[in-house]
Amino acid sequence: MRHIHLIVIHCSATRSNQNFPVTALIRCHAEKFGFTGYHYYITRNGRIYQTRHEQLVGAHAVGYNSHSLGVCYEGGLDEQGNAADTRTRAQKRALLRLLKKLKAAHPDARILGHRDLPNVHKDCPCFDARTEYQSL
């Protein structure tokens, strides 16, 4: 049984005016890794998909995958392709609901954004996840 120390929030780094459904994510990751790297994916309409079993190591945060869960939301770029918090109200509600559930199952896990990990030079998830979810 894996002990989860981190819950890492990601964005799909796709434009807010372009759909990136769960099937596209699965296809993209299958080509890149041979499997889906995130454990959960939240589409713009707030639907949560479990895309990888929690007991399986993901491929979402180099050096941290063995003891973390990866949660990704669809979006993260504005219509021009700039980093932006593009979460819809439905995504924000779904993400909060999922994080509460994950923290209940893994109470020692810290929640942070991909960009909060050492040596990560990305804007992902394009909002301050550590601050937003510090009270969980």
Side-chain angles (χ1 to χ4, degrees), residues 17 25 28 37 44 48 71 76 87 92 105 112-113 115 117 126:
N17 59 341
L25 172 83
C28 176
R44 285 191 180 88
I48 300 169
V71 176
R87 292 174 298 159
K92 287 179 181 183
L112 43 76
R115 70 183 190 181
L117 293 171
C126 303

Side-chain angles (χ1 to χ4, degrees), residues 10-14 20-41 51-52 57-61 65 70-72 122:
H10 300 266
C11 65
S12 64
T14 52
F20 193 66
V22 68
T23 52
L25 172 83
I26 291 168
R27 185 172 43 257
C28 176
H29 276 215
E31 291 170 5
K32 187 173 183 179
F33 306 116
F35 59 89
T36 304
Y38 300 122
H39 295 88
Y40 294 93
Y41 187 61
T51 52
R52 186 158 186 78
V57 175
H60 61 92
N65 290 316
V71 176
C72 181
K122 301 178 175 192

Side-chain angles (χ1 to χ4, degrees), residues 63-82:
Y64 298 90
N65 290 316
S66 65
H67 59 274
S68 67
L69 296 175
V71 176
C72 181
Y73 76 91
E74 178 185 6
L77 302 178
D78 65 18
E79 292 182 7
Q80 290 73 43
N82 301 307

